[in-house]
Amino acid sequence: MIENRLQSSWTENILFTVLLSCIPVYILNPKYVEKIIYLIALFCFLGLLKKWRKLKFNPLAFAFFIFGASTLIWAYTQQGSSTEFLSTYRSYKDAGKLMLAIAIITLALDSFEFKIEIGFTWGYIVLLVCCGLAMLNYSGELFIDDRLSINMPATGTAYIFTFLSIAALSLPKLHLFIRLGIFFALLYLVVLTGTRAAILVMPALLAIFLVFEFKKIKNKKLILSFFLFTFIFIAFFSKDTIVKRTNSALSDLTNYSNNNSNSSIGARFAMNEIGLKTGNHHLLGQSLESRLSSMQELTKGKPTLQAALMFADVNLHSDFIDAYSIRGIPGAFIYLLLIGLLLYSAYREKNLYKFMFTLSTIAYGMSDMIFYGRNMMVIWGVCFIIITLCSYNKNMGYK
């Protein structure tokens, strides 16, 4: 019950402002966002210590904690003296530490009565201006091989835009047209990344949003007209990219059917197959070095698996497959537990945005890694916290 929640004053507004500021800061340097998340987690931890007698068990925070702790335990115990996988182990450690921070913040959000009360209209405008200035001062190349990339490869950039678009839909005190406008602007940027999975997922998410929210929309004809016009606009100005990426996908599938996995889609099929096989041989987990040896043995005489070796020193481009291949049954179970509790949390709170966020996490986690490395995890965490904080503003007392 809401009466059992601890009282807060202006701290939620400061937290919300800091979280929004992470978006332009991420463009400049993701390292600073990581430090901000750790700082928020520290303050939350101190607040939880002060009121620890009144805390309640939070299943989702527990899942975050177990995932982060198990990842760290595996990384520190399995890492050997070899420098070949040094950066890879570091990426798993970064993900584990950030998961622990998110666990603390999640528990704090569930333990304090957070409600955004002051108007943030001007704050959103300032945020957009700051994002624009950050883009102007971005030091890297925006387009790599004609694909938009910001602090991540094009695929990772598209996933980040998706998470940001869902967070934008959840923002309070913003007109629906403005929130949809931000979503469509990010959809256009996703198309510029040329990421096929995201180009399919984002319209699907928008359809889910319409199905659940259509009854609440007052100007239904106007909204539908806006949707239709915007989709036609994006399709017209992005037709070359869409056609190019579609032809590339068809070519990848053709090559894979001819036992050639040396392509984007083919390599993912190869990594899925070889990840399951290496996991089956080490049901309790193994080191990255051991996985490489198993992969090399399995690819002998099997051309369709050869492409997987190109990614042996990074990850297997699937959260579940990668977890199973190096952390065995325990790792796969913990991943499924986290996803299951994310879905349950969205259902329990009747939170459409958290549901959409979880679906996108699942979809992208099937073709790439979401829970890996700092750059992806920090923006995933920021968007999750924003959505959670905004849900309390809209649905206080859901328990």
Side-chain angles (χ1 to χ4, degrees):
M1 297 298 292
I2 189 171
E3 291 81 4
N4 295 328
R5 289 183 177 273
L6 307 177
Q7 297 299 315
S8 65
S9 55
W10 42 267
T11 53
E12 63 274 10
N13 295 309
I14 294 178
L15 174 60
F16 189 58
T17 304
V18 170
L19 289 169
L20 291 178
S21 70
C22 287
I23 299 172
V25 170
Y26 178 87
I27 299 173
L28 295 175
N29 195 329
K31 289 183 180 179
Y32 297 134
V33 180
E34 180 185 33
K35 297 181 185 301
I36 291 172
I37 291 177
Y38 288 144
L39 189 61
I40 293 173
L42 175 61
F43 281 108
C44 288
F45 181 73
L46 294 176
L48 292 171
L49 283 179
K50 186 178 179 181
K51 303 291 184 178
W52 67 274
R53 292 181 182 274
K54 298 181 181 180
L55 299 181
K56 290 186 176 181
F57 177 73
N58 182 288
L60 185 55
F62 174 74
F64 282 137
F65 177 82
I66 293 298
F67 190 99
S70 64
T71 301
L72 287 174
I73 291 171
W74 169 83
Y76 280 105
T77 57
Q78 293 295 330
Q79 182 176 1
S81 58
S82 173
T83 59
E84 183 179 3
F85 294 98
L86 185 63
S87 61
T88 309
Y89 279 112
R90 186 184 301 117
S91 294
Y92 286 109
K93 292 175 184 177
D94 289 341
K97 293 173 184 175
L98 285 164
M99 270 296 188
L100 293 181
I102 294 170
I104 295 171
I105 297 170
T106 301
L107 182 59
L109 290 178
D110 192 49
S111 302
F112 295 93
E113 183 182 327
F114 283 117
K115 187 175 182 181
I116 304 165
E117 296 178 349
I118 64 176
F120 269 89
T121 304
W122 287 104
Y124 294 140
I125 295 175
V126 172
L127 172 64
L128 289 175
V129 172
C130 290
C131 287
L133 293 173
M135 289 298 295
L136 291 175
N137 289 278
Y138 181 67
S139 58
E141 291 289 335
L142 281 177
F143 286 88
I144 300 176
D145 296 329
D146 296 325
R147 299 177 66 185
L148 180 63
S149 304
I150 301 176
N151 290 320
M152 289 283 289
T155 51
T157 301
Y159 303 158
I160 288 170
F161 286 150
T162 304
F163 298 142
L164 288 172
S165 69
I166 300 170
L169 285 177
S170 73
L171 293 176
K173 305 183 187 300
L174 264 187
H175 194 278
L176 178 61
F177 270 109
I178 298 177
R179 289 185 285 143
L180 287 175
I182 296 173
F183 186 96
F184 278 115
L186 290 169
L187 173 58
Y188 179 67
L189 293 179
V190 163
V191 175
L192 292 181
T193 68
T195 304
R196 290 167 295 219
I199 293 173
L200 293 174
V201 167
M202 283 196 70
L205 293 174
L206 201 55
I208 293 173
F209 175 79
L210 267 181
V211 169
F212 284 93
E213 295 291 306
F214 193 71
K215 291 182 179 180
K216 302 177 184 178
I217 298 173
K218 294 180 180 179
N219 301 318
K220 293 181 173 59
K221 291 183 179 180
L222 187 61
I223 288 292
L224 289 176
S225 299
F226 176 70
F227 270 48
L228 182 61
F229 172 79
T230 309
F231 268 118
I232 293 174
F233 177 86
I234 293 175
F236 178 78
F237 284 97
S238 309
K239 60 180 183 300
D240 292 339
T241 300
I242 294 173
V243 170
K244 179 181 178 181
R245 297 301 292 163
T246 301
N247 290 336
S248 176
L250 294 175
S251 176
D252 288 357
L253 292 172
T254 301
N255 290 335
Y256 186 75
S257 65
N258 293 323
N259 294 328
N260 180 6
S261 62
N262 192 21
S263 63
S264 177
I265 295 178
R268 282 171 167 79
F269 286 150
M271 285 186 281
N272 284 341
E273 182 178 348
I274 206 168
L276 288 173
K277 290 181 177 180
T278 56
N280 290 338
H281 294 160
H282 299 84
L283 295 177
L284 296 179
Q286 61 181 325
S287 66
L288 293 175
E289 291 83 356
S290 173
R291 184 175 72 177
L292 174 60
S293 298
S294 297
M295 291 174 67
Q296 290 172 336
E297 186 68 27
L298 289 168
T299 54
K300 291 180 179 179
K302 294 185 178 181
T304 55
L305 298 179
Q306 291 291 333
L309 290 176
M310 296 187 296
F311 302 92
D313 60 342
V314 189
N315 59 69
L316 296 187
H317 285 57
S318 168
D319 280 315
F320 175 78
I321 297 296
D322 191 81
Y324 180 63
S325 69
I326 55 177
R327 298 197 293 277
I329 293 177
F333 173 77
I334 291 171
Y335 170 76
L336 293 176
L337 175 67
L338 174 58
I339 294 299
L341 287 174
L342 279 169
L343 289 171
Y344 174 72
S345 175
Y347 170 76
R348 184 193 64 177
E349 300 172 19
K350 295 179 173 58
N351 189 329
L352 172 62
Y353 308 108
K354 188 177 287 187
F355 177 64
M356 293 168 60
F357 188 79
T358 305
L359 288 184
S360 63
T361 301
I362 296 171
Y364 294 152
M366 293 173 65
S367 63
D368 217 317
M369 290 282 290
I370 302 300
F371 304 129
Y372 175 84
R374 179 192 61 227
N375 289 12
M376 178 63 72
M377 277 296 303
V378 291
I379 208 69
W380 187 92
V382 165
C383 291
F384 173 79
I385 298 166
I386 288 176
I387 292 170
T388 303
L389 182 59
C390 291
S391 72
Y392 291 132
N393 180 69
K394 295 178 180 180
N395 195 23
M396 290 298 294
Y398 63 85
K399 288 186 174 181

